[in-house]
Amino acid sequence: MAVPAIQAALVGAYVLRQRLKGNRRFPLVLMMEPLFRCNLACAGCGKIDYPDPILRRRLSVEDALGAVDECGAPVVSIAGGEPLLHPEIHTIAAGIVARRKFVYLCTNALLMEKRLDRFTPSPFFTWSVHLDGGREEHDKAVCQPGVYDRAVAAIRAAKARGFRVNINCTLFDGAEPDKVAAFFDEAMAAGIDAVTVSPGYAYERAPDQEHFLNRRKTKELFREVFARGRGRKWRFSQSSLFLDFLAGNRTYRCSPWGNPTRNVFGWQRPCYLLGEGYAPTFKALMEETDWDAYGTGNYEKCADCMVHSGYEPTAVEDTLRNPLSALAVSLRGPRTDGPMAPEIPLDRQRPAEEVFSRHVADTLRRIEAERTAAE
């Protein structure tokens, strides 16, 4: 059985167990950020805007593996920052694989080729390389020339050593469907195992706020892209119903608890993309977060979000409820014409709150207190 089928079977069995237990909210993917430091400064990124004392912090191996055990999700996505800047990231990844969890190590690939010897190929381990299009599009997105070529070289080296390699592709306003389609063709021809695709989320701290997609533009863009994919056998790492949602054919609400985030601050509320407080334990995150206060239609910051970390869990649940519908979309592809599904109204959403500065100030005071106590 191929690795994607094995993963789908194991994740499906996990979801069924949760439902039989009567659990309404449960994690599918643990989003782990072992550090915020990065060796790039992308204009659309909202993950590296922290003072140096915070950027110097990282999760220990013990804390990282403890989070995996505490959460229990069958899949772990290691993100950041740039995870390969963590000196023990290979030990963390090996520990997760030993627990029979599926690991996706997200990287910009600048250090990947140098670090390959620290990792072992496994059906449970996948490199997830950040590429936002072809050479011109990607180097522009990451604000540095030459990154695309280094990433492609690292991908080839990893595939030659027997690793699974996915591409993590974020599409922004201005993306050209023909170029996106050509990029997906190139990825398949290069032997990439699958593509994880998502519209960009409008990080409030990102330097570039002009190129994030609103929901209508997202749906129109993905319809154009998927229309060009007919018969081209693109492989995506996401459920068929999530792709159908991106094409505007389904009305889904966000399930932020499906992809909980653990980073150097603790368990992030409410999701990987939006940090509005932190819980000390996974149990506290699940039980004490006001989930109904977030999501499109509930909160202004969430108005345009259609990102996989929030909506893939919803699509997975829908897949289990409607397997024949999911199979039909998988076979024919997302519908790319005709009326779109109704949009969630925004007239009752609460206004955005500024919490970043206060949280950073509190954390810096805590770091200073810890330093003083250690002297």
Side-chain angles (χ1 to χ4, degrees), residues 279-302:
T281 65
F282 176 70
K283 185 174 186 292
L285 172 75
M286 297 299 287
E287 294 180 356
E288 299 172 11
T289 301
D290 182 6
W291 299 110
D292 293 333
Y294 299 97
T296 301
N298 296 332
Y299 191 34
E300 187 178 8
K301 290 182 182 180
C302 305

Side-chain angles (χ1 to χ4, degrees), residues 106-316:
C106 304
T107 176
N108 59 36
L110 291 181
L111 295 171
M112 182 175 159
E113 196 165 1
K114 294 181 179 179
R115 301 284 195 268
L116 285 178
D117 288 339
R118 301 183 182 183
F119 297 85
T120 302
S122 165
F124 287 86
F125 179 83
T126 300
W127 292 101
S128 182
V129 178
H130 175 208
L131 281 179
D132 287 343
R135 181 181 291 104
E136 178 183 354
E137 292 78 22
H138 182 66
D139 286 355
K140 180 179 179 181
V142 301
C143 305
Q144 184 172 313
V147 175
Y148 176 88
D149 289 335
R150 292 176 65 179
V152 169
I155 289 169
R156 289 173 177 161
K159 291 299 297 180
R161 298 193 191 193
F163 286 99
R164 287 181 50 78
V165 183
N166 280 10
I167 283 175
N168 182 1
C169 178
T170 304
L171 301 183
F172 296 91
D173 191 19
E176 299 178 29
D178 285 335
K179 289 186 176 181
V180 174
F183 171 62
F184 289 167
D185 286 342
E186 292 171 8
M188 296 300 103
I192 292 297
D193 292 283
V195 175
T196 300
V197 65
S198 188
Y201 173 76
Y203 287 108
E204 61 182 323
R205 307 293 297 188
D208 179 6
Q209 292 290 321
E210 300 299 319
H211 292 90
F212 292 112
L213 290 158
N214 61 36
R215 289 170 74 89
R216 182 72 190 189
K217 286 185 176 181
T218 293
K219 297 169 186 179
E220 291 171 349
L221 171 61
F222 277 93
R223 281 196 171 193
E224 290 289 333
V225 171
F226 293 148
R228 288 158 172 76
R230 302 291 187 197
R232 294 166 101 158
K233 296 183 179 180
W234 296 338
R235 295 183 299 275
F236 295 99
S237 63
Q238 294 134 308
S239 67
S240 62
L241 294 190
F242 173 73
L243 300 179
D244 208 38
F245 162 72
L246 288 180
N249 300 322
R250 294 174 186 271
T251 303
Y252 283 159
R253 288 194 176 270
C254 177
S255 300
W257 55 84
N259 285 20
T261 297
R262 175 66 162 91
N263 56 36
V264 297
F265 296 133
W267 292 93
Q268 180 170 302
R269 292 191 176 104
C271 68
Y272 172 72
L273 301 165
L274 192 62
E276 300 222 338
Y278 293 84
T281 65
F282 176 70
K283 185 174 186 292
L285 172 75
M286 297 299 287
E287 294 180 356
E288 299 172 11
T289 301
D290 182 6
W291 299 110
D292 293 333
Y294 299 97
T296 301
N298 296 332
Y299 191 34
E300 187 178 8
K301 290 182 182 180
C302 305
D304 288 323
C305 183
M306 293 181 68
V307 181
H308 64 282
S309 59
Y311 289 94
E312 181 70 79
T314 310
V316 169

Side-chain angles (χ1 to χ4, degrees), residues 1-43:
M1 185 182 294
V3 172
I6 295 172
Q7 179 173 322
L10 292 177
V11 172
Y14 164 83
V15 172
L16 288 174
R17 287 196 302 272
Q18 296 296 323
R19 293 174 68 178
L20 289 172
K21 292 177 182 178
N23 293 337
R24 178 188 170 201
R25 298 187 177 109
F26 51 87
L28 284 174
V29 179
L30 168 59
M31 309 292 287
M32 182 185 295
E33 296 175 310
L35 79 175
F36 291 130
R37 285 180 57 215
C38 191
N39 45 9
L40 288 175
C42 306

